[in-house]
Amino acid sequence: MFPRCLLGGVWLLVLLISGCNARKWDYEPLAISGTSSDVKLIKIEPKIERIGRGEFAVSGMIEWNFETTNETMLEAFVYRSQTGEENDYKVLPWAIPKQTLYEFMDTFYKDVTMKNIKHCSNCPQFTEKFQPPLPKKTYVGDKCVIDGDGLPDIIPPGYYKIIVKGFGPNQPTWGGTGIFKITTKMF
């Protein structure tokens, strides 16, 4: 009797330890696109790549050719659908409110985006405060797989649409849209 209880306790401990701080969801990118009102100033070309059975990555390039200022703004919206039908999407409170690009760099970018793309891109990396402006250069992501660092551990299954918009006075309007299917991770 005692060995069974001990074995059960050890098994429970292993499950608890292995489950700590691990995301309980998987994702499949279904569509991704970028837009720009002036491709000479900013050109966005994302793409989805299959890297294995049931494994996907996002690659792409952003040619950033304009000077950012304190008036360069960014905002993002997240929508969820149970079915994936366009008329079924409902806005979620997971949004990035309209803010300056520099505020975004010091918050969501540093806490989530940078952690998830630092291994696969030449996007800015910093530890303290972002030092403006955003350098004019071509940023490249190569087979970026999001591990979920900084994102919720539990996300309800369904279809998610993320829309990012950037804009500012005398600047191009730019952005991107991604659609992802979220499933519950079994193990």
Side-chain angles (χ1 to χ4, degrees):
M1 182 70 155
F2 180 72
R4 264 194 215 157
C5 291
L6 182 61
L7 183 60
V10 169
W11 181 246
L12 182 60
L13 182 62
V14 168
L15 285 174
L16 288 173
I17 290 172
S18 67
C20 289
N21 297 323
R23 75 171 204 244
K24 308 285 189 276
W25 49 271
D26 281 321
Y27 73 96
E28 177 185 345
L30 301 176
I32 191 163
S33 64
T35 61
S36 173
S37 64
D38 188 340
V39 294
K40 291 179 183 166
L41 296 178
I42 182 169
K43 184 177 181 181
I44 304 170
E45 294 182 341
K47 64 182 175 181
I48 298 169
E49 295 191 64
R50 185 181 194 122
I51 56 175
R53 184 176 176 178
E55 294 181 276
F56 299 90
V58 175
S59 294
M61 177 269 312
I62 300 174
E63 290 178 8
W64 197 281
N65 294 316
F66 73 95
E67 193 74 33
T68 58
T69 69
N70 286 329
E71 294 180 310
T72 306
M73 305 300 285
L74 183 132
E75 62 186 347
F77 304 93
V78 179
Y79 301 84
R80 181 180 176 275
S81 165
Q82 186 67 33
T83 65
E85 296 293 324
E86 189 62 36
N87 62 355
D88 190 36
Y89 280 97
K90 306 286 187 253
V91 70
L92 295 175
W94 300 341
I96 298 172
K98 186 168 104 175
Q99 58 191 266
T100 70
L101 178 66
Y102 304 146
E103 289 172 314
F104 166 77
M105 295 296 286
D106 282 327
T107 55
F108 191 84
Y109 177 85
K110 184 178 178 183
D111 297 338
V112 179
T113 306
M114 189 169 73
K115 291 177 182 180
N116 282 281
I117 65 171
K118 66 183 173 190
H119 63 283
C120 62
S121 78
N122 66 338
C123 290
Q125 302 289 313
F126 52 93
T127 54
E128 300 298 320
K129 191 171 174 71
F130 177 73
Q131 297 300 312
L134 186 63
K136 293 181 188 179
K137 69 186 273 187
T138 298
Y139 297 99
V140 177
D142 184 33
K143 296 182 178 112
C144 295
V145 176
I146 297 165
D147 63 11
D149 196 2
L151 294 172
D153 289 339
I154 299 172
I155 297 177
Y159 297 84
Y160 288 77
K161 182 188 297 187
I162 302 168
I163 300 173
V164 178
K165 298 177 183 179
F167 50 93
N170 302 312
Q171 296 177 11
T173 300
W174 49 274
T177 301
I179 299 176
F180 301 85
K181 181 180 180 182
I182 303 293
T183 55
T184 301
K185 186 186 273 189
M186 293 300 170
F187 300 99

